Amino acid sequence: MTERPERWVVCKPAVSSHGGVVATQHQAASEVGARVLAEGGNAVDAAIAASLALAAVEPWMSGLGGGGYMLVRPAGEARTYAVSFGMVAAATLNPADYPLTGEVGADLFGWPAVLEDRNMRGPLAVAVPGQVAGLGLACERFGTWSWADLVAPASELAERGMEVDWHATVAIAASAPELASDTGCAAAYLADGFPLAAPWTGDAPRIRLGRLADTLRQLAEAGPTDFYTGEIAQAICADMAALGGRLSAADLAVYEAQIEEAPVTGYRDARIGTAPGLTAGPTLADVLDRLTTSLDPGEAPDGDTYLAYAEALQAAYAERLRGMGAGTDADRASCTSHLGAADRDGSVVALTQTLLSPFGAKVMLPQTGILMNNGIMWFDPRPGGPNSIAPGKRPLSNMCPTIVEFADGRRAALGASGGRRILPAVAQLLSFLVDFGMSLDDAAHCARINMDGSDVVEADARLPAETLALLEARFALSVHQHGVHPSAYACPNAVVWEPDSGSATGAAHVMSPNASVGAS
């Protein structure tokens, strides 16, 4: 544990409203979602508008060039639905483009190094993006507002330019050497070759994200299909071809997001809806199944509680990496956004979206201003494994949007950003709510551990000494302050709807300087 000269007690109170709430990783996006609710939109409308807004205010995390998963529990139905719009490898991808160098890789996953880091950054790292298809499908199936009206706030934000506050400066500076290698990224993020920084006094500077504002206006007018078969698609493919990427018009034209009934598992007296397929959803169900027998909840989490969490997470991760992907899948600090929304009628949404790495592939397409994902890095570059690189294939991801239905009728939408740290955070938040009956505010502020498949438990320094000692007797222990940067833990956002009062409560990631709850 790194000692620090000052210790802060940080509190970010949960926010409640009878008109609904939206919790995101950026205040501007939360406000967009809250305005949609205030003007009569439902939780899906608010989530879509907030999702698109994030592309203009927090582009290093997620955007039009990425993908994700959304869980929807509509107020008038007894089912939870999963909207899947994850990224897919291009049909013409050639695994031979990613030869191993024999060195140890420097990526988030611990893969062996690939020549020129082609799986990490640049045009060959780009997978087919699903973000626009997923949001468009959710709008068509569950929304009440028009697509154009939901895109409009993001377009307005992009036209104003992204505010470069101190947190944005840190994000840009951390990726500056790689951003400098791409003409579009360098022009947008590195003025005169350096990251912008706010002055000591006065307003923070703003930057235009290439032609993103124009693209959003086109997307609003032409609809989401334009991204896959229209003018936007043509521009994307022309730019990718010029850069030497594999993404083609055929890849975009055949891409489809999917809606299905979400897998549901029982935990205590609650029902848990999880993301399907190659996500962390199945592994969350495994963790909860183990906790059913290993955790005997008391009045509050104690040392035995955190030991049970660590053991369940370690066993479930071992099974996940053995059966769903290669054993070195060690995403430790990914670039992801999570948001939750609840409306006045009781519909709740959990939406996780990503570019994968910070700034994705570090490729901003000149004609559109779209920052592209580096989804190929999700794959193991070694051949012959369950998660090896292959054309047309979907990779294993760590996204874990979750919806909880309590026996008393309450509904919660949970999720987080943070790569492999996502699942431990979601599992513990869920347990705090279900096993210990915590309020959302208390759960959001409660100390957590991180155990993501290794033999090391990362523990919040706020935990009692006896709890740390109990964990250290069983595992290698690394104690960390819960800070802003660097961050040892996932960044959760959550909402809860209560039928008795008709009110919704949202809690945003406590340590983030920008995460907030917007209330209608």
Side-chain angles (χ1 to χ4, degrees), residues 431-450:
S431 176
F432 295 159
L433 295 170
V434 175
D435 289 318
F436 299 98
M438 289 188 190
S439 68
L440 182 57
D441 186 79
D442 288 341
H445 288 85
C446 191
R448 303 190 308 270
I449 63 168
N450 182 63

Side-chain angles (χ1 to χ4, degrees), residues 272-300:
I272 316 300
T274 61
L278 294 172
T279 68
T283 310
L284 175 63
D286 187 1
V287 171
L288 297 178
D289 183 61
R290 296 173 191 276
L291 289 177
T292 299
T293 56
S294 65
L295 176 61
D296 184 15
E299 292 186 2

Side-chain angles (χ1 to χ4, degrees), residues 24-110:
T24 83
Q25 292 179 187
H26 198 284
Q27 179 181 356
S30 297
E31 291 173 351
V32 164
R35 287 200 304 271
V36 170
L37 292 175
E39 295 173 17
N42 66 16
V44 174
D45 297 323
I48 293 171
S51 164
L52 291 163
L54 286 169
V57 297
E58 194 184 54
W60 55 88
M61 289 292 190
S62 60
L64 304 183
Y69 295 85
M70 175 192 291
L71 292 192
V72 181
R73 173 55 167 87
E77 300 187 39
R79 296 180 178 88
T80 294
Y81 296 93
V83 186
S84 300
F85 48 101
M87 292 166 269
V88 183
T92 57
L93 177 145
N94 185 356
D97 286 339
Y98 308 92
L100 302 181
T101 66
E103 305 290 330
V104 177
D107 57 55
L108 303 174
F109 297 92

Side-chain angles (χ1 to χ4, degrees), residues 148-247:
D149 286 341
L150 294 177
V151 179
S155 179
E156 293 168 4
L157 287 169
E159 188 64 44
R160 289 177 59 197
M162 186 190 79
E163 182 181 62
V164 185
D165 58 13
W166 71 266
H167 191 236
T169 296
V170 169
I172 295 168
S175 295
E178 295 169 322
L179 294 172
S181 65
D182 177 75
T183 302
C185 287
Y189 297 110
L190 302 174
D192 298 323
F194 296 95
L196 282 174
W200 287 108
T201 59
D203 296 332
R206 292 182 179 274
I207 58 176
R208 287 187 62 84
L209 303 175
R211 299 191 63 189
L212 182 62
D214 298 332
T215 298
L216 286 165
R217 281 194 296 272
Q218 170 70 14
L219 195 62
E221 294 171 3
T225 57
D226 196 71
F227 191 95
Y228 295 92
T229 57
E231 292 181 13
I232 296 175
Q234 293 173 13
I236 291 172
C237 293
D239 283 344
M240 287 299 299
L243 292 169
R246 294 284 185 174
L247 180 63

